Amino acid sequence: MSTDTLRQRYEAAGQGHLLQFWPKLSESERWSLQSQLESLDIDRVNRIYKKAVASEKELVENSGKDVLQPLPEDAADSVIGDEVKVKEWRKTGLEAISRGEVGVLLMAGGQGTRLGSSAPKGCYDIGLPSHKSLFQYQAERIARLQTLAAEENGNKPGSVLIPWYVMTSGPTRPETEAFFKKNSYFGLDSKNVIFFEQGTLPCLTMDGKVILETPSRVAVAPDGNGGLYAALRQPLSSEDKSRTVLTDLAARNIRYVHVYCVDNCLVRVADPVFIGYCLSKQSDCAAKVVPKSYPTESVGVIARRGDKFSVIEYSEISKEQAERRDPKTGELAFRAGNIVNHFYTTEFLNEVESFEDELAFHIARKKIPYVDNTSGELIKPTKPNGMKLEMFVFDVFPFTKRFAVLEVERKEEFSPLKNAPGTGSDDPETSRRDLLAQHKRFLESAGAKVAEGVEIELSPLVSYAGDGLENVKGKTFTRSGIVESVEELDALV
């Protein structure tokens, strides 16, 4: 594209200021800026800005007017206290996995900045005896599940595959890929680990003008975890522009996708119980939730806004609603705590594009460094001067036709890593504690005893969720240790 054409396009969009330093730029700087501006859909950026501002205004005007309702009974179920249903869902889920119909998508674009690490969060070691990273734990759960599905459905060993789509961000992609290569993909076949990148959007001034970070570079920021949907349509490589995550899913005949966040050490990757539940409900989209710990817990809940399913932020729920109880069960009426753990049919993921323009991005007002229009000097503001636009992964919920919710036990499935070491809440120490406590429960549920103070770390390759431990019945474990195979447990008796 010629410079004149580019200039006309941006002036027509009201963003001509992005070329104001052009005469002063070097050849390499001009090439860099032109490449960035050519790849940017500036008309889409303008539409997103207008929609976000209008939506925020509408939300403020309607605050308190929306009718919020708890989840209807027919849209939700629980794994808590119903062994028969759980067994049936697990069987259905393992059958789907054995047929090669299930894929996994990991949202892993974040860095461990709050944890004092610049590495991708999935590389983090929470201090387990094995020092395995979050990535390794999740990879080994996939490997174990492939084996389980094959064993329980009569498939040949090694014939069941669960492809793993890993969504990174610009800053984390090189290091994430290098980490997987260095660790030989944690035993998985590299052909079934597919990396792709979360999108970005330009940072804007409060009146919608794109911000220049330097005279030759537009300031950009990740477009939120809801950018996942658009990222599924982007080419996986510059060499083959026809291959995207969506086309790869189609080529592999994947019908169902489990999506989750990297920072939950207890996540049951491609959980057959969740998959089986969703198939039994014929859901096109579903979410796992945990019961709120107490009425005022600062967590979004899944509920109904009018006649649509939505995630309702805790700030939107009144004290009266937060404390409301179900007259039948006595449980909190609004208790379905959102843990960003979702199920989708691939058919639904393909449909998102048709209603994507109706989704409003959320505005985050931030301090964004910018270039002074006249001097070209970098200014670091002391108060918010601009906005980053983000979409959330749950913004599609109101558009689902058959939505379902599955309640799971927090202690078994949710221990997020959010805070710096020593915080005492959602930090590396609580993640380590919760995972090792679960391994102790696995052994005790299988009929073993674990002596006081003994810590046993069970590799996910040994047990996915308490399975494969039949041989420990009647044994008492008196030594701590790391267990990479069932046979190694005998050394800890």
Side-chain angles (χ1 to χ4, degrees), residues 32-109:
S32 175
L33 179 60
Q34 183 160 347
S35 297
Q36 194 180 19
L37 296 183
E38 282 178 354
S39 65
L40 196 58
D41 184 344
I42 194 61
D43 293 322
R44 176 176 176 261
V45 172
N46 284 345
R47 286 197 307 273
I48 286 172
Y49 165 74
K50 286 174 186 167
K51 177 89 175 170
V53 170
S55 175
E56 186 181 64
K57 185 182 174 190
E58 187 183 342
L59 205 62
V60 170
E61 288 171 353
N62 290 333
S63 179
K65 296 178 188 173
D66 286 329
V67 179
L68 302 183
Q69 299 170 312
L71 292 169
E73 280 185 34
D74 63 352
D77 214 321
S78 177
V79 303
I80 302 166
D82 198 328
E83 291 291 321
V84 177
K85 273 196 292 196
V86 169
K87 215 170 181 179
E88 189 56 42
W89 292 333
R90 181 180 180 276
K91 181 174 179 288
T92 302
L94 283 174
E95 285 169 355
I97 291 167
S98 75
R99 293 192 298 266
E101 295 174 350
V102 176
V104 170
L105 198 155
L106 164 62
M107 294 184 288

Side-chain angles (χ1 to χ4, degrees), residues 111-127:
Q111 292 169 296
T113 316
R114 281 197 208 168
L115 306 167
S117 166
S118 60
K121 214 185 229 188
C123 302
Y124 198 80
D125 167 11
I126 59 173

Side-chain angles (χ1 to χ4, degrees), residues 163-174:
W164 196 14
Y165 299 87
V166 180
M167 185 173 81
T168 64
S169 59
T172 63
R173 182 166 187 169

Side-chain angles (χ1 to χ4, degrees), residues 107 225 258-264 266-268 274 287-292 297 299-302 311 335-342 393-394 397 406-410 412-416 418:
M107 294 184 288
N225 57 19
H258 177 222
V259 175
Y260 69 97
C261 276
V262 73
D263 62 3
N264 176 14
L266 296 181
V267 66
R268 295 191 177 177
F274 187 35
K288 267 191 187 185
V289 298
V290 295
K292 281 178 76 171
E297 185 182 5
V299 61
V301 296
I302 299 178
V311 171
R335 70 175 180 278
N338 178 40
I339 59 172
V340 196
N341 191 314
H342 304 148
V393 70
F394 51 73
F397 288 1
L406 183 64
E407 182 183 74
V408 297
E409 281 195 90
R410 186 183 295 237
E412 298 296 350
E413 300 205 33
F414 188 55
S415 180
K418 304 283 184 193

Side-chain angles (χ1 to χ4, degrees), residues 102-108 122 133-143 146 161-167 176 180 185-196 245 248-249 252 254 257-260 262 267 269-270:
V102 176
V104 170
L105 198 155
L106 164 62
M107 294 184 288
S133 64
L134 293 170
F135 280 141
Q136 182 164 355
Y137 248 78
Q138 291 158 28
E140 290 183 354
R141 285 188 182 127
I142 290 172
Q146 290 175 163
L161 298 173
I162 302 171
W164 196 14
Y165 299 87
V166 180
M167 185 173 81
T176 300
F180 272 76
Y185 295 83
F186 310 105
L188 299 176
D189 187 333
S190 61
K191 292 195 289 291
N192 299 315
V193 181
I194 300 97
F195 298 97
F196 68 110
V245 172
D248 194 79
L249 288 165
R252 294 171 184 265
I254 301 295
V257 180
H258 177 222
V259 175
Y260 69 97
V262 73
V267 66
V269 185

